Amino acid sequence: MTVAAWRQPRVILWAAVSVVALGFVIALEIAARHYGMRGPITNQAREVIFAPKSGPLLYGSMALMMVVLPWRQRFIAAGVAVGIDVVFFLVRWVFDAKMMFGNGALWVVLGCAVIAVTRRTGRERALLLKGVGLGLLLVTGRKTGDTWLLITSKTRPMVLDQYVAVADHALGNPSWFVGRFVRATGPIGEHLLDYVYIQLAVAAVLVSFYQLRKVAAERRFPAHHLVRTFLVIGLLGPAIYMIYPVVGPIFAYGADGGHWAVANLWPDTATPVSAPHLMPFNDFTPRNCMPSLHTAWATAIFIHSRKGPRLLRFFGAFWLITTLGATLGFGYHYGTDIVTGVVFTLTIEVALRSQARGWDRSGIRLALYGATVFTALLLAFRFLPMEMAGNPWVFGPLVLLAMASVIYGYVRTTRQWEPRTTAPVRHPEPQPELV
């Protein structure tokens, strides 16, 4: 790159973002070491040799990286990854070590980074490095999130579950209702929802792979795609956890909370409506409820699947519905978390789309409105829970109306951004002359 190219505002912006992100990951590594745990950098480096935590996630990251490769190179990369994993499998089987696949995928991604630096030049090098960065960001984001959750449990000894649970009465305590329903479905329903809940990142990879399917041919990335929204949600969401620590009904009001729980009520008995208080909790349960990031990510998957074929649209709707069922049915979230998760995603999505369009004014206005609604909801759950529980037919519809207003604003704004196709002008057919 020339000096003039490095001085372009877009290049400067991405360079600044990269430096901040690297500093953030290093800070998390130091913080994790302070608490006697491995940080995101160490955990990622270990997976080059040791059994990965999630093999599907690593193969998903490799699939994202391969969007920049032609089909022949994709088959070669996939074959190399599988071959390396077979060797690792045999070695672990001989030494009776922990079994998990995925090392081969990570090796291929790192190998492509080496090839980009040593064998590619110019735009081809930049494109391949972007693909490698895209794949590694997915994995690093997961490792960073795990470390961040550890920090929330260590630094936030008091939680706000009583406030959120009382406010949840305005929505009819959906977690209690869905929890009983999921339990009634038996092991089949529980296993299905558990798989959907765990493999959320894999679903995001499938939708992203469709969106980025033309990158190899066009040699450039689209202005906006699902991965951008996914990463920003993962970056901003944990910051809210620190401000608004909540552990969830299965821990605060269920058996999983042990002696830290208020009582063993979930999902059979709704919480009593009484004045809420801050409550202490253990130092290992993540405070990762408000907002529900699983709901936020599933909403993003649903939004980005709308432009795909019918099967992909069905897949996005299925993943959103089942994710909502899992987050509520397993007692991980309250209904209030779900509402804020939807508003959170739409606000981020419209802001990113506005930025991709050159900071569109209508998008900026909607993003500010969404942020205002999100903040108002958090304040209401914290300072008006008794009023909400005492007047559910007033506050329940108001909460849902606030969420619906953001949804409506998003649909209306994005439809205005869609390219309009004009119908061809029909000319009257010539009529035979009368003689």
Side-chain angles (χ1 to χ4, degrees):
M1 275 182 131
T2 63
V3 176
W6 279 107
R7 290 178 178 176
Q8 292 181 3
R10 187 178 183 88
V11 175
I12 295 174
L13 174 63
W14 281 110
V17 169
S18 300
V19 171
V20 172
L22 179 60
F24 177 69
V25 173
I26 294 175
L28 285 181
E29 179 75 24
I30 296 173
R33 292 289 181 177
H34 173 72
Y35 292 110
M37 305 288 289
R38 292 190 295 266
I41 299 176
T42 305
N43 284 329
Q44 186 62 69
R46 282 174 56 86
E47 292 190 350
V48 175
I49 301 297
F50 295 96
K53 183 177 181 180
S54 174
L57 180 66
L58 288 174
Y59 270 89
S61 68
M62 185 184 72
L64 277 181
M65 182 273 299
M66 290 194 301
V67 298
V68 304
L69 302 177
W71 278 106
R72 180 175 176 273
Q73 294 180 10
R74 291 176 186 177
F75 286 123
I76 294 175
V80 171
V82 172
I84 294 174
D85 269 326
V86 170
V87 174
F88 271 94
F89 178 86
L90 294 175
V91 172
R92 287 173 182 146
W93 178 69
V94 170
F95 289 95
D96 195 24
K98 179 182 177 182
M99 305 301 292
M100 177 53 72
F101 63 93
N103 300 89
L106 183 58
W107 278 47
V108 167
V109 173
L110 297 177
C112 286
V114 174
I115 291 174
V117 174
T118 60
R119 304 293 297 274
R120 302 286 177 89
T121 58
R123 293 183 61 186
E124 291 299 313
R125 172 187 289 175
L127 186 66
L128 184 53
L129 286 177
K130 285 181 180 179
V132 171
L134 195 67
L136 290 178
L137 276 174
L138 182 66
V139 183
T140 305
R142 177 70 174 269
K143 303 300 181 187
T144 301
D146 292 343
T147 304
W148 193 260
L149 294 183
L150 167 70
I151 294 174
T152 65
S153 63
K154 298 294 185 181
T155 61
R156 293 296 180 268
M158 310 296 286
V159 297
L160 297 169
D161 281 78
Q162 291 189 26
Y163 293 87
V164 177
V166 172
D168 214 42
H169 281 270
L171 299 175
N173 298 304
S175 181
W176 272 255
F177 171 76
V178 180
R180 292 193 297 269
F181 176 80
V182 170
R183 187 171 60 184
T185 62
I188 296 178
E190 291 180 0
H191 288 322
L192 173 64
L193 294 180
D194 184 62
Y195 180 83
V196 168
Y197 191 84
I198 293 175
Q199 301 300 340
L200 181 68
V202 178
V205 168
L206 293 177
V207 176
S208 299
F209 196 82
Y210 174 81
Q211 286 186 319
L212 304 175
R213 68 194 183 281
K214 296 181 180 180
V215 170
E218 298 178 353
R219 314 311 293 167
R220 63 181 180 86
F221 281 85
H224 180 60
H225 49 84
L226 174 60
V227 180
R228 299 177 79 229
T229 307
F230 226 73
L231 292 174
V232 174
I233 289 174
L235 178 65
L236 298 181
I240 311 299
Y241 294 162
M242 300 293 287
I243 301 171
Y244 217 98
V246 182
V247 294
I250 188 62
F251 299 105
Y253 295 96
D256 288 18
H259 70 275
W260 294 95
V262 176
N264 191 0
L265 302 176
W266 188 89
D268 299 306
T269 306
T271 58
V273 179
S274 58
H277 302 280
L278 284 169
M279 55 182 287
F281 216 77
N282 60 45
D283 61 353
F284 55 84
T285 301
R287 278 64 163 152
N288 62 339
C289 276
M290 183 65 76
S292 168
L293 291 198
H294 262 78
T295 299
W297 282 319
T299 303
I301 291 173
F302 173 80
I303 291 172
H304 284 266
S305 67
R306 295 304 87 196
K307 297 299 181 181
R310 180 179 299 178
L311 182 60
L312 191 67
R313 296 197 302 268
F314 173 80
F315 175 81
F318 167 80
W319 216 269
L320 175 60
I321 294 171
T322 49
T323 299
L324 293 177
T327 54
L328 292 172
F330 291 149
Y332 298 149
H333 290 281
Y334 303 90
T336 52
D337 310 337
I338 306 302
V339 172
T340 53
V342 173
V343 174
F344 187 65
T345 297
L346 295 177
T347 302
I348 291 174
E349 177 70 17
V350 76
L352 291 177
R353 290 198 176 195
S354 175
Q355 181 269 333
R357 290 175 55 84
W359 300 111
D360 183 90
R361 288 186 178 181
S362 61
I364 294 175
R365 285 196 300 267
L366 181 58
L368 292 175
Y369 174 72
T372 302
V373 171
F374 179 78
T375 304
L377 289 173
L378 293 183
L379 292 175
F381 302 152
R382 174 64 175 84
F383 296 106
L384 300 174
M386 291 297 292
E387 290 78 2
M388 294 180 67
N391 302 278
W393 293 105
V394 175
F395 283 94
L398 281 177
V399 170
L400 297 178
L401 183 62
M403 179 182 68
S405 67
V406 179
I407 296 173
Y408 172 76
Y410 175 82
V411 172
R412 181 181 179 183
T413 302
T414 53
R415 280 182 178 177
Q416 293 175 354
W417 292 344
E418 297 296 329
R420 296 182 179 180
T421 56
T422 57
V425 179
R426 289 190 176 184
H427 298 283
E429 297 181 2
Q431 300 294 327
E433 295 183 4
L434 294 177
V435 179

